[in-house]
Amino acid sequence: MKSKNMGIIIGAGPAGLSAAETLSKTGRTFTVLEATDHTGGISATIKHNDFYFDLGGHRFFTKNNEIDKYVSDLLGDEQVLVDRSSKILLNGKFFDYPLRPINAIFGLGPLTAASIIFNYMLERFTFNRPPPRSLEDWVISQFGKTLYMLFFKTYTEKVWGIDCNRISAAWGVQRIKGLSLRTAIIDAFWKQRKKDAASLVKHFTYPKKGIGVICEKLAATIREPNHLLFNAPATEVFHDGKRITAVSYRGTGGEGKIETDFVISSMPITELICSLRPLPPDEILEASRWLKYRDLVCVALMFSKPSVTDQTWIYVHDPLIDFGRLHEPKNWSNNMAPPDKSCVVFEYFCNEGDAIWNASDEELYEKTKNDFRKSNIVPQANDAVFDYKVVRTAKTYPLYEIGFSRHLLKIRDYLKGFENLQLVGRYGTYKYNNLDHSLETGIKGAQNILGAAHDTFMVNIEDEYLEEMKS
């Protein structure tokens, strides 16, 4: 028998679990289906022996006071305030990130610095240009062509695997919003200006034992008669054309079919479309095939030394070095490694099935050590490596290729036809959300089940992004 008000939450990441925590305070009953053996999704913290590390390092920062209080109340005294210190490695030299004019002048030389200023001013005084369509257009309009070629093009193409002129300007609007050469200069010389751009935030909150603690604490609020099932990916989502009626799951955690009054989904929207029974119209299936993702492989090296770097992140632009970014968890919290040891996490942006993804753990271990040596970030550091851990994460980043918006809108309009379905999280809304945005969508999705009328897609959206969605 189906329990009264029984629901299904798909995914135990920040969005799914914030929805679960919200519903736990009410009389609604639900089951959370999680495809893996742990909570957190890409915001999980991996434990390997005495070491803890995130899948790329996830800061918590928000301008939403309600979400800020929500996480602060959740963590209590289990959080620290981290001073951000990030560097760009370019041509063997370190540059501050966000960019600072004095640092760039001394690092690049006066001629290159003059070219940066000249090209930026050229953009400022060129009128009647059409709105930027690609990320390349958008970044050049904000920073000028010289800075784009030096600091954006190579790294961005390493991250996404395609040319910047194929990436939608919506990605720049969403991820680099509020930042331009002008704001970087102002930030460098007027430290106390009233409002920081999100990309320039200098401090952020972080749980003492990793970002995954947030989801662990949210999961702890799920009590009988509600359930959290691990290794139980949703495989089929049944509907009658207007409502979702049941969800099937099958995995190492077992299999079953649960009748339901509502579904809150944070599974990839493309997988949700393909799991619907009966299947959607061909045009919706075709639209889902058009939406793509970028995948991630993290290689964590353990060092028999108390510290390796002094940075929260280091961005590596060199195209001959395959990892794109690295971070040292101990620089975020001393609790992430033993006092006399440390760990560095290297991120490889890749596509599922390519050479990086298919490489064995041992091959990736040797490759990472070799690339780290070539980078010369910390000479001779490899001598202290004594252990490693490799983690692969599929569909980590929604790919904003030009034209994605019309396919996404077609899918969303179709899914809006199911009155008891809520889409939440990075995967569920196909949006490159930060952690705070995912939490917010989960809470609002749950509130919609309780009678509210939020549009979860409108969380973390800008006017320029809306224009892209309409085009």
Side-chain angles (χ1 to χ4, degrees):
M1 287 288 293
K2 182 180 67 171
S3 300
K4 184 180 179 181
N5 295 328
M6 179 67 189
I8 299 294
I9 298 173
I10 302 176
L17 290 177
S18 60
E21 190 274 341
T22 302
L23 292 178
S24 291
K25 302 170 185 174
T26 74
R28 298 295 180 117
T29 57
F30 58 85
T31 296
V32 181
L33 300 177
E34 169 54 40
T36 71
D37 62 357
H38 60 269
T39 61
I42 60 171
S43 295
T45 296
I46 307 301
K47 187 179 187 302
H48 179 70
N49 298 324
D50 295 326
F51 298 85
Y52 298 82
F53 64 91
D54 299 341
L55 302 177
H58 293 268
R59 65 181 181 177
F60 176 77
F61 169 78
T62 184
K63 293 188 176 182
N64 184 320
N65 292 333
E66 292 181 3
I67 297 297
D68 190 46
K69 185 177 186 303
Y70 183 83
V71 171
S72 181
D73 290 346
L74 192 70
L75 294 176
D77 61 0
E78 296 182 40
Q79 58 187 313
V80 293
L81 185 64
V82 181
D83 294 329
R84 172 177 175 165
S85 178
S86 302
K87 298 290 185 183
I88 294 169
L89 180 65
L90 178 68
N91 297 331
K93 296 180 180 180
F94 284 113
F95 296 86
D96 294 331
Y97 181 79
L99 296 171
R100 300 189 184 277
I102 300 301
N103 177 240
I105 289 171
F106 282 101
L108 297 171
L111 291 179
T112 302
S115 177
I116 290 172
I117 299 299
F118 174 78
N119 278 283
Y120 173 73
M121 296 304 293
L122 190 64
E123 291 298 318
R124 294 298 88 193
F125 291 100
T126 300
F127 303 103
N128 299 321
R129 285 190 178 178
R133 183 166 183 262
S134 70
L135 179 64
E136 180 175 286
D137 298 336
W138 188 87
V139 173
I140 289 175
S141 73
Q142 298 296 304
F143 294 90
K145 189 169 184 178
T146 302
L147 211 55
Y148 161 73
M149 295 298 295
L150 283 169
F151 287 100
F152 287 92
K153 181 176 170 61
T154 302
Y155 181 77
T156 303
E157 292 178 355
K158 180 186 286 192
V159 171
W160 295 107
I162 60 175
D163 291 340
C164 286
N165 59 19
R166 290 175 54 193
I167 302 172
S168 169
W171 187 87
V173 171
Q174 193 178 0
R175 300 300 299 183
I176 324 174
K177 58 190 176 188
L179 181 60
S180 66
L181 183 58
R182 177 178 175 273
T183 57
I185 292 171
I186 292 173
D187 185 76
F189 294 107
W190 285 274
K191 306 289 186 183
Q192 303 302 319
R193 64 196 180 97
K194 187 174 181 180
K195 184 178 180 181
D196 283 329
S199 298
L200 297 176
V201 62
K202 301 178 184 65
H203 314 282
F204 57 88
T205 299
Y206 189 73
K208 291 180 180 178
K209 281 292 184 72
I211 205 69
V213 170
I214 292 175
C215 284
E216 291 169 10
K217 285 188 170 292
L218 289 171
T221 68
I222 301 173
R223 299 184 177 89
E224 294 286 349
N226 303 317
H227 300 90
L228 169 54
L229 302 181
F230 290 106
N231 298 308
T235 54
E236 294 178 300
V237 178
F238 299 89
H239 66 92
D240 61 10
K242 294 182 179 179
R243 295 176 62 84
I244 307 298
T245 58
V247 177
S248 289
Y249 63 92
R250 185 182 303 111
T252 58
E255 61 180 85
K257 181 177 180 180
I258 305 173
E259 294 182 18
T260 186
D261 287 306
F262 64 86
V263 170
I264 299 175
S265 176
S266 66
M267 72 189 293
I269 195 171
T270 52
E271 293 183 6
L272 174 62
I273 288 294
C274 293
S275 69
L276 288 170
R277 301 291 183 272
L279 285 168
D282 289 344
E283 63 175 338
I284 302 301
L285 291 170
E286 179 60 30
S288 73
R289 285 190 283 269
W290 205 95
L291 300 182
K292 301 179 181 66
Y293 301 83
R294 190 70 162 154
D295 308 302
L296 179 69
V297 173
C298 289
V299 180
L301 300 184
M302 286 69 186
F303 294 79
S304 57
K305 55 190 301 184
S307 177
V308 181
T309 75
D310 59 356
Q311 300 297 312
T312 46
W313 280 292
I314 296 177
Y315 299 82
V316 181
H317 289 223
D318 190 340
L320 299 179
I321 296 174
D322 284 335
F323 62 75
R325 188 172 70 169
L326 61 93
H327 83 281
E328 186 168 357
K330 207 171 177 182
N331 291 337
W332 300 47
S333 169
N334 285 330
N335 297 277
M336 301 292 282
D340 59 336
K341 298 179 177 64
S342 195
C343 166
V344 178
V345 182
F346 301 81
E347 296 172 69
Y348 291 89
F349 307 103
C350 59
N351 292 325
E352 191 172 358
D354 68 12
I356 292 293
W357 184 271
N358 287 339
S360 69
D361 289 2
E362 185 175 358
E363 288 171 334
L364 287 168
Y365 166 62
E366 294 296 338
K367 176 177 181 54
T368 302
K369 287 198 301 179
N370 289 336
D371 279 0
F372 192 36
R373 184 181 296 109
K374 282 194 302 182
S375 74
N376 205 36
I377 293 172
V378 185
Q380 284 80 52
N382 281 355
D383 296 341
V385 176
F386 71 93
D387 196 8
Y388 71 97
K389 175 71 174 178
V390 177
V391 181
R392 295 169 180 81
T393 308
K395 294 182 172 64
T396 311
Y397 308 108
L399 177 57
Y400 285 14
E401 192 166 3
I402 288 176
F404 84 100
S405 55
R406 64 179 180 272
H407 301 284
L408 179 57
L409 275 179
K410 187 178 296 185
I411 291 170
R412 289 189 66 249
D413 287 344
Y414 171 77
L415 292 175
K416 281 181 178 179
F418 299 107
E419 58 191 37
N420 63 340
L421 172 65
Q422 295 294 318
L423 303 178
V424 300
R426 176 181 287 195
Y427 295 153
T429 60
Y430 196 82
K431 289 185 64 185
Y432 196 155
N433 284 330
N434 287 329
L435 175 57
D436 62 321
H437 303 128
S438 290
L439 291 169
E440 185 178 350
T441 62
I443 293 169
K444 287 185 172 179
Q447 290 172 344
N448 287 345
I449 297 299
L450 299 172
H454 303 296
D455 185 347
T456 57
F457 184 76
M458 294 302 293
V459 173
N460 184 30
I461 200 161
E462 299 291 312
D463 291 341
E464 294 92 336
Y465 184 87
L466 285 172
E467 289 304 314
E468 160 67 21
M469 295 297 290
K470 293 172 184 174
S471 64

